[in-house]
Amino acid sequence: MSWLARLVETYDNHLGTVGQFETNRNGREYALIPIFHMTQNAQITVTLSPDGQFLRAEVVEKDEASTIIPCTEKSSSRTSAPVPHPLGDKLMYVAGDYPQYCQPPRGTPHADYLAQLRAWCASPHAHPKVQSVYSYLTQETLMYDLIYGSSPVLWVDDHGHLLDRWPIQQDQKKPRIFDVVASNQTPADAFVRFSVEVPGDLEPRLWRDRSVHESFIRYSRQIAGDEDLCYVTGEYRARADKHAAQIRHAADRAKLISANDAQGFTFRGRFRSSREAAVISQEVSQKGHNALKWLIARQGSTVIGGRVFVVWGTDHLDVPEPFAGSFDLYGDPEKENNEGGFGGDRTHQEFARQIRKALNGYRYDPHYHSRVMIMALDHATTGRLAIVYYRELERDPFLDRLQHWHESCAWQHRYRKDADHRLVSFWGAPATRDIAFAAYGPEASDKLVKGLLERLLPCIVDAQPIPRDIVRSAVYRVSNPEGMKNRWAWDKTLSVTCALVNKMHEQEGFDVALDEQNTTRDYLFGRLLAIADVLEHAALQESQEKRVSNALRYMTVFAQHPAKTWGIIQTALQPYQMKLGPRAIYYSRLIDQVGSLLKPEDFTNRPLGEVYLLGFYSQRYALYTKKTRTNDSQEPGASEQDQSEEETDS
């Protein structure tokens, strides 16, 4: 139950924000909901006077539909059973004259609704605005006012029946109510919320009035059921018999805590009732679930196939995102380096400085004392939600491990864009989603991707080794350039894969800068392949041909049979060496130089290891960044302009 205790702690630490609506990155409103309340999307707002007289009604726009409403245990988890909410609800509950215009509902929803509202209004915790709503609804004229009022929001046919859809042949413009109701609903299913205009009162909206919220909270505590020992707080409190749904989004029916099977299948003979398994108090359940809903809406980091990952601190909610790449952590590095990225010997020094600078904002904040919680949720069935991953860490160990991940799983990348939508070069770790696509491709199923993200979490937060099968899959994909849809996708996959290989071999200290002292077999074969690719590419640019080089076309076979395939590639290079003329001398000498470093016993067809990609990338990077020389006997290089043109063409 530690996860629930941390969520309750988070709720208590942010009581000042309860009931305050904010807007998330997707433009949707969200709020930390008061206990004994929930949110619903409303379609109609009814405004009343203090004495309970109808003033007007209006259709609610979709971006303003989120509404905080009081709820009971039964109403918060209702499905098809007609269980009313205490205040705002659908027309069938709040409108006494509903059967006059629509198909009569089963049961007595309006009578049950009024009885519940009457009990609140008759209690010592009644609120005058709620009493105004009760006074109006007892008149049973809501449907009439919505249809025939001065500003109608509902429409009927010639027989006085509420229209389910707007007739196409109508000359009038389609009313807004038909646009705001959900696709599987009709205006008869519209949800109604109330506003009471009291002179001098600055907040007429009941769903945002804190005094109305507090009134219902006090009333709910008064009518709470039997007390029992809460397993979370260790105190005797009113127990919760039902727990909240709608955790990930408004249409989510899956629950984290549920025991609704009395036929013996849930408890399997171990308990006589669910209380013997665990008891959670009403307030703990509601605080924990409301805090979790709030965190997911506010900063739910990754949502794939229904799986939600959320990271937070109990005091300070914002913590570094473990799934994000280094570019997201420290921003655009080129803003601090006018040379366009971290080049040469300054690579790791400058990169490490940026990472530490970004993380030190959390590390040295004197007010930041939160523990860091990482949680992953996924549905087992449509009605059951599971915590598939949960981890608590102290702040400093979490930041230390995050820093280690970004420094050890690092490489040079060029697939992100700055504020001006230009590709920028940056150093660091790729985002976990980019790793998933590098390993399994952009068409990978949600099941594969979310499984990979879950497997990478221990690598990031616990400093565990990266799974070899993930690296092998990425190496296999990048070794088949012709299987990519374009050159940009292959370049991105190449840099991400190099980061993974570098992480796997972090003890060996590989760097993007070319290591001319490295004489390992895989590294040298990778260098040879890169030289052949750059040589042919230079010749293709002169003739303005746009196609993949033979070196990349044979890359898959080269990784499996390097000695045999290198002979084929070298033979295919001869026409391009002739086309370049004296400019090819440097490349030819470089091939001879690298080839001479290969030991005779290493020049075999034994498959190459993943390190060959690091040699390939570093040699290619060194050739593309070498400055142009005027001496024909030296390599003229591929200018930065050539490289940018290559990326633009892709």
Side-chain angles (χ1 to χ4, degrees):
M1 293 293 180
S2 62
W3 62 272
L4 193 53
R6 294 302 178 191
L7 287 169
V8 172
E9 182 182 352
T10 302
Y11 188 98
D12 290 337
N13 289 339
H14 295 84
L15 290 175
T17 63
V18 172
Q20 297 180 7
F21 278 90
E22 303 172 77
T23 303
N24 63 15
R25 69 189 80 171
N26 298 321
R28 296 182 179 179
E29 285 190 329
Y30 68 95
L32 181 56
I33 309 302
I35 57 175
F36 303 108
H37 289 72
M38 63 183 294
T39 56
Q40 283 284 352
N41 288 334
Q43 288 81 42
I44 299 174
T45 300
V46 173
T47 303
L48 308 173
S49 65
D51 58 351
Q53 297 302 310
F54 179 83
L55 297 180
R56 62 184 177 275
E58 55 189 348
V59 175
V60 181
E61 298 299 327
K62 287 186 176 181
D63 57 352
E64 300 174 354
S66 186
T67 305
I68 297 175
I69 62 167
C71 65
T72 64
E73 269 196 326
K74 291 183 178 179
S75 71
S76 64
S77 58
R78 75 185 185 192
T79 52
S80 58
V83 182
H85 294 305
L87 186 57
D89 214 327
K90 292 184 176 182
L91 284 170
M92 62 179 284
Y93 293 99
V94 299
D97 53 345
Y98 181 87
Q100 299 177 26
Y101 304 93
C102 304
Q103 180 71 25
R106 62 188 179 92
T108 56
H110 179 66
D112 296 341
Y113 169 84
L114 273 187
Q116 191 168 251
L117 185 58
R118 184 186 308 115
W120 180 10
C121 292
S123 73
H125 309 291
H127 194 284
K129 290 183 180 179
V130 178
Q131 291 174 326
S132 299
V133 174
Y134 176 74
S135 175
Y136 167 69
L137 293 179
T138 56
Q139 303 171 27
E140 298 188 347
T141 60
L142 177 57
M143 292 293 294
Y144 179 87
D145 292 334
L146 295 177
I147 296 169
Y148 301 108
S150 57
S151 54
V153 297
L154 297 178
W155 303 81
V156 294
D157 58 20
D158 295 338
H159 302 288
H161 298 141
L162 191 68
L163 286 173
D164 289 340
R165 59 181 60 84
W166 189 247
I168 299 177
Q169 65 272 18
Q170 280 281 357
D171 295 333
Q172 292 177 281
K173 183 180 179 181
K174 183 171 69 171
R176 285 289 301 143
I177 188 66
F178 294 97
D179 293 327
V180 299
V181 294
S183 58
N184 61 338
Q185 294 182 332
T186 67
D189 299 311
F191 195 97
V192 180
R193 64 188 186 186
F194 295 96
S195 179
V196 179
E197 293 185 345
V198 178
D201 187 4
L202 299 179
E203 185 51 87
R205 300 169 295 181
L206 270 62
W207 63 94
R208 296 203 180 189
D209 191 331
R210 293 292 296 274
S211 64
V212 175
H213 301 162
E214 291 298 327
S215 168
F216 187 74
I217 291 172
R218 292 193 297 270
Y219 171 66
S220 298
R221 285 171 173 163
Q222 174 191 321
I223 63 173
D226 299 336
E227 293 187 349
D228 207 335
L229 179 65
C230 177
Y231 282 31
V232 177
T233 63
E235 301 174 353
Y236 278 89
R237 300 281 184 86
R239 69 172 182 268
D241 292 322
K242 295 181 181 293
H243 302 271
Q246 300 179 331
I247 293 173
R248 294 169 295 178
H249 49 79
D252 186 15
R253 304 308 304 172
K255 293 184 177 184
L256 271 173
I257 306 173
S258 177
N260 59 357
D261 188 353
Q263 303 302 316
F265 294 103
T266 299
F267 312 121
R268 298 189 184 279
R270 283 177 278 185
F271 305 107
R272 289 173 295 180
S273 69
S274 61
R275 298 177 203 166
E276 295 181 0
V279 175
I280 300 172
S281 65
Q282 288 183 9
E283 293 198 21
V284 164
S285 175
Q286 296 194 32
K287 284 182 178 181
H289 284 89
N290 287 351
L292 183 56
K293 294 177 188 179
W294 180 53
L295 290 168
I296 291 174
R298 184 182 187 272
Q299 59 200 66
S301 58
T302 306
V303 182
I304 299 177
R307 180 164 296 183
V308 178
F309 297 86
V310 61
V311 186
W312 81 97
T314 52
D315 294 327
H316 284 60
L317 298 174
D318 296 316
V319 296
E321 173 59 67
F323 304 102
S326 299
F327 185 88
D328 300 300
L329 187 63
Y330 59 64
D332 181 2
E334 294 192 0
K335 292 180 179 178
E336 296 200 11
N337 188 347
N338 295 329
E339 296 179 3
F342 311 136
D345 296 333
R346 300 199 306 156
T347 297
H348 278 101
Q349 296 176 7
E350 189 68 18
F351 163 69
R353 185 182 71 83
Q354 289 287 339
I355 286 293
R356 288 164 187 158
K357 178 180 177 182
L359 294 178
N360 284 347
Y362 301 93
R363 193 186 300 275
Y364 299 121
D365 184 348
H367 304 291
Y368 191 99
H369 304 291
S370 293
R371 290 176 64 85
V372 178
M373 274 64 65
I374 306 169
M375 179 184 286
L377 304 168
D378 203 354
H379 58 276
T381 67
T382 54
R384 297 289 188 273
L385 195 63
I387 300 175
V388 296
Y389 182 90
Y390 181 73
R391 189 82 165 85
E392 285 187 25
L393 296 96
E394 295 292 343
R395 178 197 63 182
D396 287 342
F398 172 73
L399 296 178
D400 290 342
R401 292 168 186 175
L402 197 59
Q403 178 177 319
H404 176 71
W405 167 261
H406 283 276
E407 292 182 354
S408 60
C409 189
W411 207 252
Q412 184 199 39
H413 309 278
R414 192 177 174 82
Y415 57 83
R416 295 296 297 269
K417 294 183 179 181
D418 59 11
D420 298 323
H421 301 287
R422 296 175 303 180
L423 284 173
V424 294
S425 176
F426 73 98
W427 298 79
T432 51
R433 187 184 290 264
D434 291 327
I435 294 176
F437 292 150
Y440 301 130
E443 306 300 327
S445 67
D446 288 343
K447 183 177 181 180
L448 271 177
V449 174
K450 64 186 183 182
L452 182 142
L453 296 187
E454 185 181 340
R455 294 177 64 199
L456 284 178
L457 264 176
C459 306
I460 301 171
V461 301
D462 295 324
Q464 293 186 9
I466 193 165
R468 292 190 65 89
D469 64 290
I470 295 176
V471 182
R472 286 197 194 101
S473 181
V475 170
Y476 177 79
R477 289 193 69 250
V478 80
S479 296
N480 183 24
E482 292 194 307
M484 304 284 179
K485 61 181 181 180
N486 54 47
R487 183 64 177 267
W488 178 87
W490 179 76
D491 282 333
K492 176 181 178 180
T493 305
L494 174 62
S495 66
V496 172
T497 304
C498 285
L500 297 178
V501 174
N502 190 32
K503 172 65 178 176
M504 179 181 287
H505 297 271
E506 60 180 297
Q507 301 301 326
E508 301 175 38
F510 286 105
D511 190 5
V512 175
L514 182 62
D515 182 5
E516 296 183 347
Q517 305 304 315
N518 191 326
T519 59
T520 59
R521 175 179 182 269
D522 296 340
Y523 196 84
L524 292 175
F525 266 118
R527 289 184 62 186
L528 287 174
L529 187 67
I531 300 168
D533 174 53
V534 174
L535 188 157
E536 184 173 344
H537 181 69
L540 291 174
Q541 278 192 323
E542 284 200 355
S543 58
Q544 297 184 347
E545 292 184 58
K546 296 180 180 179
R547 63 170 178 82
V548 176
S549 67
N550 285 303
L552 296 189
R553 287 176 54 202
Y554 285 108
M555 194 171 183
T556 305
V557 184
F558 180 80
Q560 298 299 316
H561 310 284
K564 177 181 178 181
T565 311
W566 175 246
I568 299 173
I569 293 174
Q570 197 165 23
T571 301
L573 282 178
Q574 293 178 4
Y576 303 103
Q577 290 173 315
M578 295 178 61
K579 184 179 295 185
L580 284 178
R583 293 179 57 199
I585 296 176
Y586 174 82
Y587 293 113
S588 301
R589 288 179 177 175
L590 191 56
I591 289 174
D592 294 340
Q593 176 186 339
V594 175
S596 66
L597 296 176
L598 271 169
K599 300 174 184 177
E601 60 269 21
D602 288 338
F603 197 78
T604 65
N605 284 318
R606 188 173 76 252
L608 298 176
E610 60 274 351
V611 172
Y612 94 92
L613 288 175
L614 303 186
F616 173 81
Y617 190 104
S618 296
Q619 181 65 76
R620 192 164 167 259
Y621 173 75
L623 291 174
Y624 277 132
T625 54
K626 187 177 287 292
K627 296 194 179 291
T628 302
R629 298 177 181 178
T630 57
N631 192 335
D632 287 342
S633 65
Q634 292 179 316
E635 183 265 333
S639 67
E640 292 292 339
Q641 182 179 359
D642 292 337
Q643 176 71 349
S644 63
E645 286 176 354
E646 175 186 345
E647 290 161 347
T648 303
D649 292 340
S650 66

